[in-house]
Amino acid sequence: MSNGGEQEDFISKLPDDVVGHILSYLTTLEAVQTRVLSRRWRCPVLEELLLCGDFEHSYDRDEDEDDDTNDDDDDDDNNDDDHNNNNNDDEVNHIITISIPTLKRLKINLIGRDYLYTSDYKFIIQTPNLEYLTIHDDIFAHFVINEIPFLLEAKMINDYSIFFEHGRVTEIEVHQEMEMLQGIKNAEALTLSDCTTAALARSYALRHDLPTFPFLKRLEFGIYHERSWKLWPHFLTNSLILECLVLERGNMELLIEELDELDRELDVDAVSGWNPPESVPYCLLQHLKEIRMRYLWRLPGEVQAVQYLLENGHFLEKICINFDDQTAFAQQVDKDMILNFPRASDNCVIEFV
C-alpha cells in the first residue's frame, strides 16, 4: 500500500520476460484484453502463441454465384473482375490482428463446422521476428502476412476440398492464397497441403505471379489432381537453392468418390500430363539432393516427371518413390523401366518404398 492509501501496482513493475511468460498461459482473447489494463502490457516479450478456434460465424455464398475456378484458362482474362467485390472487407465481420514483434512461434488452427459456408474472418499477421508458422485452416479465412524475413519453417495445412468440388471458390479468394505465400517466401522449409496448392495453382493460372523463394531448402508439396500437378514444376524454377523436394499425391479413391457425388468424372489426362519447365531449374542443376514422391497413381505423366528429374538432377543423391497400389492404374508402371532411366548424377540411388 502506498503512502497515499492507493494500491501499488506491482504487476506493471515486472520485467518484460516475466510479463511475456504470464501472457503465454492466456488464450489469445485474454492476452489481448490485458492491453486495456495498462500501457505497460502492450509490448510484452511473447515468443510463442497458439490460436485455436471452432468457428461458427460465417457467411453463406450465393447459390447462383459462378465459380471462376472452374473456367478454362483461355477464359481467365475475361473473368478477372467477376468477383472482385465478393469477399472484400465490407463482408469481413471479424478482423484479428496479431502484432507481436518478439513472437518466434505461431500456430493457428481454424476448424469450421459447416463446410458449405466460408469464413468471414481476416487475420493480419505482423510478426517480423517469427521463425515458425503453422496455419491449419478449414474455413478459407483471409490471411494478410507482412513479409517475414527470417522464417525457418512455414506450414500451410488447409482443407478446402469441399469448396472446390462444390464450385464455391472465387478468384479473389485464390489470389489471397498467393498473397499469403508472398509473406512467407523467405522460409527455409515450406509445407503446402494439396488444397493449398490447388488454390495457388488456380491463382497462378489467373496470371498472378508466383514468388521467388530465395532461402527455401525443403519443400513438401501436396498434389490435388490437375491444378497442383501443373504447378509444382514452377516451384522448382522459383526455388533456387532447394535441396529436398517431397511430392505427395492425394487419395485417388477419395477423389473419385467426391466427383461421383457431383456427377463428374476424373480427367486422367489432366491429372497426369507432364509439361516440363521451359529451362531446367537452377536447383536441379546445382542443389537438389533428395526427392521423395509419395502415393503416385502410376500414371504416364508421373513416369515422365520421374524421368525428367533423373535426367536433369546433377546433384541428386536419392529419389524415393512410393506408389498407391489401390489405384485403378496399378499395373501401368514397370519399376525396371524407371531403374534404367539415364541419370545426370552418378551418385543417385532409386528406392521404391
Side-chain angles (χ1 to χ4, degrees):
M1 185 80 69
S2 65
N3 293 335
E6 297 180 358
Q7 259 189 337
E8 189 170 358
D9 184 3
F10 291 104
I11 294 179
S12 292
K13 294 182 179 180
L14 293 173
D16 282 348
D17 56 344
V18 175
V19 173
H21 184 70
I22 293 172
L23 291 183
S24 68
Y25 288 95
L26 304 180
T27 67
T28 303
L29 179 59
E30 290 169 339
V32 171
Q33 288 173 338
T34 63
R35 292 167 59 90
V36 304
L37 300 178
S38 168
R39 289 181 180 273
R40 172 67 182 76
W41 290 80
R42 296 188 182 185
C43 298
V45 177
L46 184 60
E47 293 190 350
E48 187 166 351
L49 180 62
L50 171 62
L51 173 61
C52 298
D54 187 352
F55 290 90
E56 296 177 302
H57 303 289
S58 57
Y59 68 85
D60 192 7
R61 295 174 179 274
D62 185 352
E63 291 297 335
D64 296 327
E65 181 177 292
D66 292 332
D67 173 28
D68 275 354
T69 66
N70 289 332
D71 294 334
D72 293 334
D73 290 348
D74 292 341
D75 296 330
D76 289 338
D77 291 335
N78 298 325
N79 295 315
D80 285 346
D81 299 322
D82 283 354
H83 298 284
N84 285 342
N85 297 316
N86 285 347
N87 194 20
N88 55 34
D89 282 350
D90 291 339
E91 293 178 329
V92 176
N93 295 322
H94 308 277
I95 299 178
I96 301 171
T97 300
I98 302 172
S99 182
I100 308 175
T102 57
L103 197 65
K104 298 294 182 68
R105 293 176 177 267
L106 174 60
K107 184 175 182 179
I108 300 175
N109 188 14
L110 309 179
I111 302 171
R113 294 187 180 181
D114 188 344
Y115 291 97
L116 295 183
Y117 289 71
T118 192
S119 169
D120 60 352
Y121 285 82
K122 179 177 181 179
F123 292 82
I124 301 174
I125 300 176
Q126 301 167 339
T127 52
N129 292 298
L130 199 67
E131 295 179 353
Y132 298 92
L133 172 64
T134 299
I135 296 177
H136 189 154
D137 174 22
D138 292 346
I139 64 174
F140 229 129
H142 179 196
F143 290 90
V144 177
I145 304 177
N146 287 12
E147 185 175 330
I148 304 171
F150 307 113
L151 193 59
L152 298 179
E153 182 178 59
K155 296 181 178 180
M156 305 290 110
I157 307 171
N158 308 321
D159 185 5
Y160 306 145
S161 59
I162 195 68
F163 295 131
F164 281 113
E165 298 308 337
H166 282 266
R168 304 171 75 88
V169 180
T170 65
E171 176 189 335
I172 196 167
E173 286 169 333
V174 295
H175 183 43
Q176 287 169 358
E177 294 289 296
M178 190 67 78
E179 289 180 332
M180 179 176 64
L181 197 63
Q182 291 281 352
I184 60 174
K185 66 182 181 181
N186 294 317
E188 294 185 16
L190 180 60
T191 299
L192 301 173
S193 70
D194 53 0
C195 290
T196 304
T197 62
L200 292 172
R202 187 56 189 170
S203 180
Y204 185 77
L206 292 167
R207 317 298 192 266
H208 297 143
D209 291 337
L210 186 71
T212 297
F213 305 91
F215 309 113
L216 189 61
K217 294 182 179 179
R218 178 181 176 86
L219 173 63
E220 295 192 31
F221 191 97
I223 297 173
Y224 185 74
H225 55 92
E226 77 274 9
R227 298 183 182 98
S228 308
W229 180 253
K230 293 178 180 178
L231 183 64
W232 71 264
H234 298 287
F235 267 83
L236 283 188
T237 299
N238 287 23
S239 305
L240 302 180
I241 62 171
L242 191 68
E243 295 181 357
C244 179
L245 172 66
V246 180
L247 298 174
E248 183 169 321
R249 275 280 196 187
N251 184 284
M252 174 182 278
E253 301 303 323
L254 180 60
L255 175 59
I256 291 176
E257 289 178 6
E258 292 175 353
L259 293 176
D260 285 343
E261 292 178 0
L262 301 171
D263 294 324
R264 294 167 56 187
E265 294 183 357
L266 179 64
D267 187 344
V268 176
D269 292 333
V271 299
S272 69
W274 171 243
N275 295 313
E278 293 182 2
S279 59
V280 179
Y282 182 81
C283 66
L284 263 180
L285 296 173
Q286 297 292 335
H287 293 283
L288 195 58
K289 298 178 181 178
E290 181 179 1
I291 299 174
R292 294 183 177 272
M293 308 179 79
R294 299 172 178 164
Y295 309 118
L296 296 185
W297 294 353
R298 298 176 178 260
L299 299 174
E302 295 173 338
V303 178
Q304 294 169 14
V306 171
Q307 183 175 4
Y308 177 86
L309 294 170
L310 287 170
E311 290 179 350
N312 293 285
H314 288 259
F315 284 80
L316 269 181
E317 297 175 358
K318 179 187 292 187
I319 180 167
C320 297
I321 303 173
N322 168 254
F323 292 108
D324 182 357
D325 291 330
Q326 302 303 313
T327 69
F329 310 97
Q331 304 300 320
Q332 290 191 15
V333 173
D334 183 355
K335 294 180 180 179
D336 290 335
M337 177 179 65
I338 293 178
L339 291 171
N340 289 324
F341 283 154
R343 309 175 199 182
S345 171
D346 294 334
N347 299 321
C348 181
V349 176
I350 301 175
E351 294 182 0
F352 296 97
V353 294

